[in-house]
Amino acid sequence: MAQRGDHEYDYLFKIVLVGDSGVGKSNILSRFTRNEFSLESKSTIGVEFATRTLQIEGKTVKAQIWDTAGQERYRAITSAYYRGAVGALLVYDITKRQTFDNVQRWLHELREHADSNIVIMMAGNKSDLSHLRSVQEDDGQALAEKEGLSFLETSALGAQNIEKAFQTILTEIYHIISKKALAAQQAAAAATPTQGTTINVTDSTGGFTKRNCCST
Ligand SMILES: Nc1nc2c(ncn2[C@@H]2O[C@H](COP(=O)(O)OP(=O)(O)O)[C@@H](O)[C@H]2O)c(=O)[nH]1
Ligand SMILES: [Mg+2]
């Protein structure tokens, strides 16, 4: 556990929301961050993020979720938006085929600007509007499998699968970095078996943060 009063979390993970304008990104964010856990939100010029702290496998994880301020409309998201992101929620609208067709473009953008190990979840949002559906769930599933992404249909309106989408991303990220930390711990133990070793698992490309590892 990180030192209380210093950092009230074990891990801080930056997650970015991407996808066409109007698919529901901002509503997904507000739905998720206005739940019963602690909420802080902060506006900046150009971008906005909100945070929520939750428990993932017994660890306190602070999710810092970045939302666009409409730049996606002009395909003008800067690389700063993606910098340090360890997860992405790539959203399309199940009632608008074009937003699904553009998923490839967003994947390309993520692969170009974000860390290559970024965990990506694709979300087919507005599942409450299934009577207006223009993208079948099977098509979403097939694309996700082809691209190696997790996939869920969500509804920000109905709070359907929003929690699960973020839980899935955060758990996947946690598994990746706990494996890295374990490997680093074993390497450190083999090299210098001293007490209270601090292991920094931040690398030049990732945004993983862990402090005061390995107190046992
Ligand atoms: N029916 C329905 N409407 C939604 C849902 N999520 C967002 N919307 C609506 O879609 C529009 C665009 O949402 P917004 O969150 O601003 O999309 P963004 O441009 O991707 O951030 C708004 O009118 C929302 O009320 C959803 O899950 N179901
Ligand atoms: Mg928005």
Side-chain angles (χ1 to χ4, degrees):
M1 188 62 67
Q3 288 170 338
R4 292 292 173 205
D6 181 15
H7 296 278
E8 306 258 319
Y9 51 85
D10 295 304
Y11 296 93
L12 172 66
F13 294 152
K14 175 177 173 179
I15 311 286
V16 289
L17 292 169
V18 294
D20 285 3
S21 181
V23 298
K25 299 181 297 300
S26 298
N27 278 278
I28 286 173
L29 180 61
S30 60
R31 171 63 76 189
F32 181 64
T33 55
R34 277 181 208 153
N35 231 315
E36 70 266 37
F37 273 80
S38 73
L39 164 72
E40 307 150 39
S41 72
K42 189 175 176 178
S43 292
T44 56
I45 298 164
V47 292
E48 185 179 5
F49 65 82
T51 63
R52 181 168 150 198
T53 301
L54 64 171
Q55 297 295 309
I56 302 286
E57 298 189 0
K59 298 291 180 187
T60 304
V61 172
K62 183 169 183 169
Q64 183 189 71
I65 303 151
W66 289 54
D67 188 17
T68 64
Q71 312 95 307
E72 72 276 27
R73 202 183 295 269
Y74 313 104
R75 302 183 62 170
I77 296 180
T78 63
S79 53
Y81 185 73
Y82 298 104
R83 193 167 304 132
V86 291
L89 188 65
L90 199 180
V91 187
Y92 67 89
D93 176 345
I94 67 157
T95 72
K96 295 216 166 58
R97 185 79 202 184
Q98 186 64 47
T99 67
F100 180 67
D101 294 339
N102 282 339
V103 162
Q104 290 290 356
R105 187 169 73 68
W106 287 110
L107 279 175
H108 185 260
E109 175 110 354
L110 280 168
R111 284 171 183 152
E112 194 158 321
H113 296 287
D115 182 76
S116 57
N117 295 315
I118 193 167
V119 170
I120 305 171
M121 152 79 69
M122 184 171 75
N125 192 42
K126 310 196 186 181
S127 61
D128 56 285
L129 298 177
S130 58
H131 54 294
L132 300 173
R133 177 188 287 281
S134 69
V135 183
Q136 295 307 310
E137 189 164 10
D138 284 352
D139 292 347
Q141 192 64 56
L143 179 62
E145 276 166 29
K146 176 171 160 266
E147 297 292 344
L149 317 173
S150 305
F151 172 66
L152 283 171
E153 284 198 345
T154 58
S155 170
L157 181 81
Q160 192 71 37
N161 278 343
I162 300 296
E163 194 76 17
K164 190 174 174 190
F166 285 105
Q167 282 275 352
T168 303
I169 296 175
L170 294 167
T171 302
E172 216 174 303
I173 296 166
Y174 174 66
H175 285 163
I176 291 170
I177 74 150
S178 51
K179 265 186 218 150
K180 274 194 186 185
L182 182 64
Q185 201 171 348
Q186 285 168 344
T192 49
T194 54
Q195 268 190 319
T197 307
T198 297
I199 294 171
N200 182 1
V201 294
T202 304
D203 63 34
S204 58
T205 51
F208 303 129
T209 307
K210 169 124 201 220
R211 292 186 173 81
N212 298 331
C213 167
C214 322
S215 53
T216 51

